[in-house]
Structures are given as structure tokens and as C-alpha cells.
Amino acid sequence: MEATLKFTLPSANTTICKYANGKSNLFQVYFVPTKPASCRYIIKLLVGGDSSSENLCFNMLPQYLQTESQHISGYNLGDQDLAMMHSQETIESSLQKPWQKAYLIPAKSDTGIVNFRKWLDEFAGGSPVWEGEIKASFQELDDHQLLDRWHRHTKHCPTCRNYLLFIEKAQVICKISIVVFAVLALLLILINMPVELAVIFKIIAVFSCLAFYLLDDLKYRFSSSVSKRGIAWLKLYHNHTQVKLG
């Protein structure tokens, strides 16, 4: 893939990705600082070329499931950017230096950052004008605070909230299925009915239990990027590109 990136003041970023098969995607992001250490970003993604054969199964899904898949997959990229930016902000706050001396930004890919900071210095007094009486202050966050998905996105997104309601209804069905088929299997054994039928009911109960816990893990992904079990590991997004700056 070959990508062309264009930065437009004050804070708009447009990336056009071209693939060897002739397909191209346009990825547009507009960043809106809302308060110190927080930023809202508005995204538009346009997919070009004929992708119907490649994404046939995906296109057959209901629209809300397609939207949820895009939101969940987008977290992998956003979370690692978030972790990196917060780390840089932590270091910069401890240096207490002007941004020109706090950053090392020699690469062409840093042009957007340099222009944005210069634009802030010239037209905005070095900082965005915050809504209300917000004073610039920095607070270092732990992983659970930084990678909280509920307050960052889910509670503001009607599609995600509706999908969570769908998951909860599916879990209720799983609970009912577990109880019903487990009781039926036990009754069949007690009244000496064919063992094969009891085994089938027991298998259905076990699969319902497994489905419940898989749905519970899926529901958790809308709340946090921190691993639910085991080591709190952040999965990185791998995408190898050649970038031309425009």
C-alpha cells in the first residue's frame, strides 16, 4: 500500500491509500481539542474500488453489526496512538520547556505537528481556547483510566449502546437455555429415558453456557481496552505503509 498524507491547518488530516489492485481509500480525520489532555476526533472513511467480492460476508451482515465491527477494529489503532501520545505528554509536562525544545521533530512526517504548534502560537496564544473556565493542567492516567472505552466512546454512541442491549438480551436467552436444557437432561436421566437424548440436552446447555461467557467478553470490549483476564496487554495495530507527504 502507498499512502499520501495531507495536513490542513488548524487540525485536519487527510490520508489517501492506494493499493496494488487499483483500489483506493480516503481516511479523513478532524481533531477537536476539548480540554487539557482530551481531544475529540471526527472520522470519515470512503472506500473505493470493487470490494463486493472481498467483503461479501461482511456486506451481508445487518448495518448495525457492520458499524460495530468497524468501531471495535478501530480501537486497536486508536488505543496505541492514545498510549503513545499520553506517554509523550507525561514526559513533556515534566520537562517544563517550550515545545520547540521539548520535542525532537526532524522528520517530514512531523511537518503537521510543527505547523499546528506554530499556528497555535501565532493565532491562539499557544493553546486552544477551552470551553468555560478550564485551566491547563496535566494528570497522568493509569491504564484503566486511559483505555476506558465506555466514557470515551460507547456511552456517546447510540449504535454501540443498542448493540450492548442486543448482547444483554442474547445473554438472557443463554441463561434460560442453560436452565431449561440442564433440567430436562436431569429429568430424562431420572425417568430412565434414552440416554442419548439427555446427552444432547446437556450438550446444548454447555454450549449455551459457553455462548454466555463469550458474549460477556464481547460486552466487556465496549467498556475497556485493558485485558479482562491475565496480563493487561495492549494489542498493537500492524500496518506497513510507504508514506508520501503532500
Side-chain angles (χ1 to χ4, degrees), residues 80-119:
Q80 73 177 35
D81 284 351
L82 187 66
M84 182 270 293
M85 295 301 295
H86 187 67
S87 174
Q88 288 189 335
E89 191 170 25
T90 301
I91 296 172
E92 184 190 11
S93 65
S94 65
L95 296 176
Q96 296 182 346
K97 295 180 179 179
W99 67 268
Q100 295 91 337
K101 297 182 179 180
Y103 291 107
L104 176 62
I105 38 183
K108 288 185 177 180
S109 57
D110 298 320
T111 302
I113 299 172
V114 173
N115 287 337
F116 177 62
R117 296 304 293 257
K118 287 182 177 179
W119 185 89

Side-chain angles (χ1 to χ4, degrees), residues 178-193:
I178 294 169
V179 174
V180 170
F181 286 102
V183 171
L184 286 176
L186 180 60
L187 288 176
L188 289 176
I189 294 173
L190 293 176
I191 62 177
N192 295 321
M193 291 293 288

Side-chain angles (χ1 to χ4, degrees), residues 52-87:
S52 56
S53 58
E54 299 178 9
N55 300 318
L56 179 61
C57 295
F58 181 79
N59 292 332
M60 292 176 63
L61 294 174
Q63 184 59 47
Y64 73 93
L65 288 180
Q66 294 184 32
T67 302
E68 294 315 311
S69 176
Q70 293 168 347
H71 287 193
I72 287 293
S73 61
Y75 276 127
N76 287 340
L77 177 61
D79 286 345
Q80 73 177 35
D81 284 351
L82 187 66
M84 182 270 293
M85 295 301 295
H86 187 67
S87 174

Side-chain angles (χ1 to χ4, degrees), residues 94-153:
S94 65
L95 296 176
Q96 296 182 346
K97 295 180 179 179
W99 67 268
Q100 295 91 337
K101 297 182 179 180
Y103 291 107
L104 176 62
I105 38 183
K108 288 185 177 180
S109 57
D110 298 320
T111 302
I113 299 172
V114 173
N115 287 337
F116 177 62
R117 296 304 293 257
K118 287 182 177 179
W119 185 89
L120 281 177
D121 287 344
E122 185 174 356
F123 297 103
S127 173
V129 179
W130 307 115
E131 182 179 3
E133 298 296 328
I134 299 177
K135 295 182 179 180
S137 60
F138 174 78
Q139 179 183 1
E140 187 173 0
L141 306 176
D142 60 32
D143 288 342
H144 290 277
Q145 294 172 314
L146 184 64
L147 302 176
D148 181 294
R149 291 180 177 179
W150 171 255
H151 293 94
R152 183 153 50 102
H153 173 81

